[in-house]
Amino acid sequence: MEKILENRKKFVDEVIESLEKEKGLVWLKKWGTLGPPFNPTTNKEYNGNNNLMLSFRGMQKEYEDTRWLTYKQAQNNKWQVKKGEKATSIEFFELYDKKTKKQFDPKSISSLSNKEQIDYKNQNVYSCAKTYSVFNGEQIDNIPAFEKPKIEVNYNKIDKIIENSNVPFFYDSENAFYSSNKDEIHMPHQKFFKSENAFYGTALHELSHSTGHELRMNRNIHNKFGSESYAKEELRAEFSSFFIAQSKGITYTNEDKENTKAYLQSWIKALKNDPNEFFKAGKEANKIANKVLSYENEKQPSMKDLIKTKEQIEEKGR
């Protein structure tokens, strides 16, 4: 774990430096047009914090390739990491079994009762963090040329997400914000944004905030502007909107986002006070993004319905 904390501190120091130099989050530049980072040998996308770390490194190095793989994976395919290239560290958490001293296999306790399975996991299974070193496709010789994905933004699908959220949107404000007391999102009209993508990126950011309502994901969202707790929630919404935008092909720049000095300073302060806050935010943002993306295919209950359901549950519990 010590190595992971050391790698995290080093990475967050670079993020803070980019916030101070770039006046915004460096990975916003164009990564959405390339799609999420993925492993070409498994064809699986990197999620959560690994997505953020690889996207950051990709934009920092101005890579046009979103493929990342280990040295061994490259060798197995007769590709060769270029001399002098430095790897990027990512993290994976695996479950281990104290009793068998091997990676935990759920099938090994499938014959036990539910209570016995819970007791076994509590007594014997633990999470173990591991780091892996990966290289970008542009750092590797003989790898097939990267074919940039043709990503077309389907704004109808994003409109469907907004519609199905059942969170009221009002285009009547100079600034964009989510009111947790009224469960409403207020924004400037779309014509006042620098681009269509900037408008939708902001809408998804505010929609991410709305998931924090106590009857949805129940986060601490009643925070004073400029406070550290406010900065933490802003990071969660920012990372979430990035994941969603990346998934839907939306791209926008820091200029589009119009990050204010106050926002940036609050983020920097929060990360300097606790470097691990970046990774806490990334983990939570992944859950937030998945929830918002699920709206596309499922109409969400209104706040009135959520309150009614809560009251019914409380009534049954009496």
Side-chain angles (χ1 to χ4, degrees), residues 51-100:
N51 182 329
L52 290 174
M53 288 190 284
L54 296 179
S55 294
F56 175 84
R57 186 69 71 224
M59 291 316 309
Q60 189 183 50
K61 298 293 184 180
E62 298 186 348
Y63 292 141
E64 296 287 338
D65 194 326
T66 57
R67 296 173 296 177
W68 297 84
L69 62 160
T70 65
Y71 189 94
K72 186 176 180 180
Q73 287 172 331
Q75 276 194 322
N76 289 343
N77 284 277
K78 298 182 179 179
W79 306 330
Q80 183 61 49
V81 174
K82 296 175 183 177
K83 188 176 180 180
E85 291 289 348
K86 293 184 178 180
T88 298
S89 293
I90 57 173
E91 304 172 358
F92 281 100
F93 289 82
E94 298 174 342
L95 294 178
Y96 276 82
D97 193 321
K98 292 180 184 178
K99 199 170 184 180
T100 64

Side-chain angles (χ1 to χ4, degrees), residues 231-244:
K232 290 177 180 180
E233 170 61 18
E234 283 301 318
L235 276 175
R236 282 156 177 73
E238 191 72 7
F239 291 164
S240 170
S241 63
F242 168 71
F243 290 145
I244 299 166

Side-chain angles (χ1 to χ4, degrees), residues 40-51:
T41 64
T42 63
N43 209 32
K44 291 183 178 179
E45 295 178 358
Y46 293 97
N47 298 312
N49 287 317
N50 286 338
N51 182 329

